[in-house]
Each structure stands twice: as C-alpha cells, then as structure tokens.
C-alpha cells in the first residue's frame, strides 16, 4: 500500500489542520497558545510518518555496512 494512503498521513494532515486553526485562533485571541498547541500536534504527527518513510527507503541497509 502506498505511504500516502495510510493512517500516518491522515494524522499528519490532521496536524496541519491543527496548525492552521491555531494560527487563525492566534489572530482572533492575540495569544500564541493556540498556535503552539497546533504546532505541537503537528510535530507529534510528523515523527511516526518520517520513521515510516525512512524505514521504506531502498538501499538503507547497504549504506550501514
């Protein structure tokens, strides 16, 4: 299955939506807290996605030897 159709990418897209909503709420409330919370959700969603992409990289084992 393609990496673009997995649960990880849906979580990453949700993290992006949280960041955009946080930026919008930051504009409304004049507080940086919503943006910080949205960005932290994006960081937490990015880590598993990057690990999954790195695990599927071809030739990864040959470079370590």
């Amino acid at each position: 299955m393609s990496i673009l159709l997995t649960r990880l990418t849906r979580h990453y897209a949700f993290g992006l939506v949280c960041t955009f909503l946080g930026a919008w709420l930051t504009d409304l409330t004049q507080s940086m807290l919503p943006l910080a919370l949205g960005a932290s959700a994006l960081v937490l969603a990015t880590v598993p996605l990057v690990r999954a992409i790195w695990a599927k990289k071809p030739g990864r084992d040959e470079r370590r030897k």
Side-chain angles (χ1 to χ4, degrees):
M1 183 177 352
S2 172
I3 191 81
L4 298 176
L5 301 175
T6 64
R7 175 184 54 88
L8 294 174
T9 54
R10 287 192 300 264
H11 285 182
Y12 182 73
F14 179 72
L16 284 174
V17 168
C18 287
T19 302
F20 287 121
L21 286 176
W24 175 69
L25 284 171
T26 295
D27 186 44
L28 290 179
T29 62
Q30 301 300 316
S31 170
M32 293 297 288
L33 183 63
L35 184 58
L37 292 174
S40 65
L42 180 60
V43 168
L44 289 175
T46 301
V47 172
L49 180 65
V50 169
R51 283 186 182 161
I53 291 171
W54 280 352
K56 292 187 181 238
K57 239 183 192 177
R60 183 172 152 249
D61 293 331
E62 287 82 24
R63 282 186 275 159
R64 286 189 177 180
K65 291 180 181 178

